[in-house]
Each structure stands twice: as C-alpha cells, then as structure tokens.
Amino acid sequence: MDQKSKHWESVFLLVITAVLWSLGGVLIKSVEWNPLAIAGARSAIASLVILIYLGKPKINWSVPQILGAFAYAGTVILFVAANKLTTAANAILLQYGAPVYVAFLGKWFLGEEVAREDWWAVGAVLGGMVLFFFDQLQWGNLVGNLLAVLSGWTFAFLIIFMRMQKDSSPLESVLLGNIFTALIGLPFMWQGAPPPGSWATLIFLGTVQLGISYILYSIAIKGVTALEASLIPIIEPILNPLWVFLFMGEVPGKWAMVGAGVILISIVLWYLEKSVFRFCRNRGG
C-alpha cells in the first residue's frame, strides 16, 4: 500500500473510531454508579478485549509507553467524571481543546511543524472553548467543565506518546492505561454495584466503545500526523451531545452551543484547507 492510500485508510479508521467514541456520553450518563467505578469497570473490560487482540503484548516499559499509559488513564477517568458533572456537550467539546495542545506539543516532542492554517484553527478552537464558560454555571458544572479541559490535556499527551510509538505498537500504552484505570477504580467498584440492567451498557462500553475503538485508533495513528489524529475525528463532538439530547433530553447552554459551532466549523474548514483544497490546487498547478 502506497503512502497516500495508507493515509486515507487511516482517515477512514479515525472516522469509525469517532463514531464509536461518540456513544460514550449517553452510555456513561445512563449508568447510575460512581464515576470512578464506571471508568474502572469499562477499562477492565476493554483491557481484556485489547489483550485478546494483541495476543502477546510488547511491553517494553519505554518512557513513551508508560507516559502514554498514564495519559490514557487520566483521559478516560477525567472524561467519565466530567460527563457526570456537566453536560455531555460541554464534556466532549471542551476535551476537544486537545488539538490546541497537540499543536504546541507536536513540534517539541515530534518535530512536526505547525503551518499557518494550523495556528488559525488552533486559535479558533481556543476561542470557541472560552464561550463555554459564559453560561451561568452551578459549582458542579464548573468543576465538570474544568475536568473536561484537563481531559483535553491528557488526551493531547496520549496522542503525542502514541505517535512517538508509530513505528512499534502504540496499543500497549492503551492496554496498560486500561489496567491502571481498572486498578484505580477497583476500590470504588467494591463500594456498591450498579443496577442489574446497567451491566449490558458497561459491557458495550468496554468492548465496543472503548476496546475496539482504540484498536482502530492505534492502527490509524500510524498513518496521520499527531494534529490530524486530534482534529479529524470531528464526528464525535457532533454526535455525542446529539445522542444525549435524543435519548435523555439534555440540552447544552446557548453559549456552549455557540462555542460548539465555532469549534466544529473551524475544524471542518481547517481540514478542507489541509486536504481537499490543497489537493485540488496541486492538481491544478
């Protein structure tokens, strides 16, 4: 497979991954359980799925592998907690501050240069995030929003450390991260069980929404840049709050919706400029 075909295959896998990730908000909110218990149970199931896929994981205890595992654990724990404390729209769209951080970190850690149009997109995303905090917030929502921002930072570091392992097997970081998360959540799982009907949701969260999605992501990240790996999955922040609205009736605040529009439009325009428009210009030139 040539480089261009590999790139477009990676883009396709990122889109599938984003669809699976988008189910997280509505499924997490539907489980009545401690957020750390949910995160731990989901990751315990996901670790089994990934272990089956890998067969013999290559645990080399390298710095990128271990730091990637910690970044992953931070991402899933903070995201679950944010979903419980603020709206699903706020949680996922504030997490999508990750491209802002990847733009800075990618140059330092990976030597991937950031073009002028990349900085334009980064600035627009950052401006959209600020609008989320214009809504009137209760203390719980404010904490949830801050946790979502932190999950964007950990997600950015996860992308960076997985990208650093693109020539080996970045999925081991996800496996270790799930194990770490399961261990962190274990004490909270023992405090009480979720309602019996929630187990089907937890199993789906662990197998499909987390396990299979990160298997696809680990394959895709080998064929794209770190910034593309954080900006292309725009389907997730579109679909995530949509599922929650349709099935749970949760509506984000008006400023959050404006911020969401700014973020999503910026990302779409960025990717069109980055790929489609530039491709057409090159063919024409």
Side-chain angles (χ1 to χ4, degrees), residues 76-100:
V76 295
I77 290 172
L78 290 167
F79 181 70
V80 170
N83 261 278
K84 288 294 187 179
L85 293 172
T86 188
T87 66
N90 286 20
I92 186 59
L93 282 154
L94 287 173
Q95 188 188 62
Y96 261 70
V100 177

Side-chain angles (χ1 to χ4, degrees), residues 174-196:
V174 177
L175 173 62
L176 290 173
N178 275 309
I179 293 172
F180 293 163
T181 305
L183 292 174
I184 292 170
L186 189 59
F188 299 91
M189 287 186 265
W190 286 115
Q191 292 178 6

Side-chain angles (χ1 to χ4, degrees), residues 142-163:
L142 177 60
V143 172
N145 282 3
L146 292 174
L147 291 178
V149 172
L150 288 175
S151 74
W153 272 103
T154 55
F155 185 42
F157 276 107
L158 172 63
I159 293 168
I160 293 296
F161 292 127
M162 288 185 73
R163 180 68 179 157

Side-chain angles (χ1 to χ4, degrees), residues 52-230:
I52 292 171
Y53 171 79
L54 288 173
K56 294 182 179 180
K58 301 173 183 177
I59 308 296
N60 55 27
W61 305 108
S62 66
V63 172
Q65 189 175 86
I66 298 304
L67 292 181
F70 282 123
Y72 176 90
T75 299
V76 295
I77 290 172
L78 290 167
F79 181 70
V80 170
N83 261 278
K84 288 294 187 179
L85 293 172
T86 188
T87 66
N90 286 20
I92 186 59
L93 282 154
L94 287 173
Q95 188 188 62
Y96 261 70
V100 177
Y101 320 133
V102 168
F104 290 99
L105 300 173
K107 183 174 182 179
W108 295 336
F109 285 87
L110 304 171
E112 295 180 354
E113 291 295 329
V114 181
R116 183 173 58 184
E117 62 269 22
D118 297 336
W119 287 115
W120 174 87
V122 164
V125 169
L126 186 59
M129 287 175 60
V130 172
L131 295 175
F132 279 78
F133 292 90
F134 283 11
D135 284 317
Q136 288 186 341
L137 293 172
Q138 298 176 347
W139 174 248
N141 283 0
L142 177 60
V143 172
N145 282 3
L146 292 174
L147 291 178
V149 172
L150 288 175
S151 74
W153 272 103
T154 55
F155 185 42
F157 276 107
L158 172 63
I159 293 168
I160 293 296
F161 292 127
M162 288 185 73
R163 180 68 179 157
M164 289 174 72
Q165 301 173 76
K166 64 184 178 65
D167 295 325
S168 54
S169 179
L171 191 55
E172 275 75 5
S173 283
V174 177
L175 173 62
L176 290 173
N178 275 309
I179 293 172
F180 293 163
T181 305
L183 292 174
I184 292 170
L186 189 59
F188 299 91
M189 287 186 265
W190 286 115
Q191 292 178 6
S198 296
W199 281 109
T201 302
L202 286 167
I203 291 171
F204 186 86
L205 275 167
T207 55
V208 179
Q209 194 269 330
L210 200 63
I212 292 175
S213 68
Y214 268 98
I215 290 172
L216 297 178
Y217 189 74
S218 69
I219 297 171
I221 203 167
K222 296 181 179 182
V224 295
T225 67
L227 192 59
E228 286 176 317
S230 64

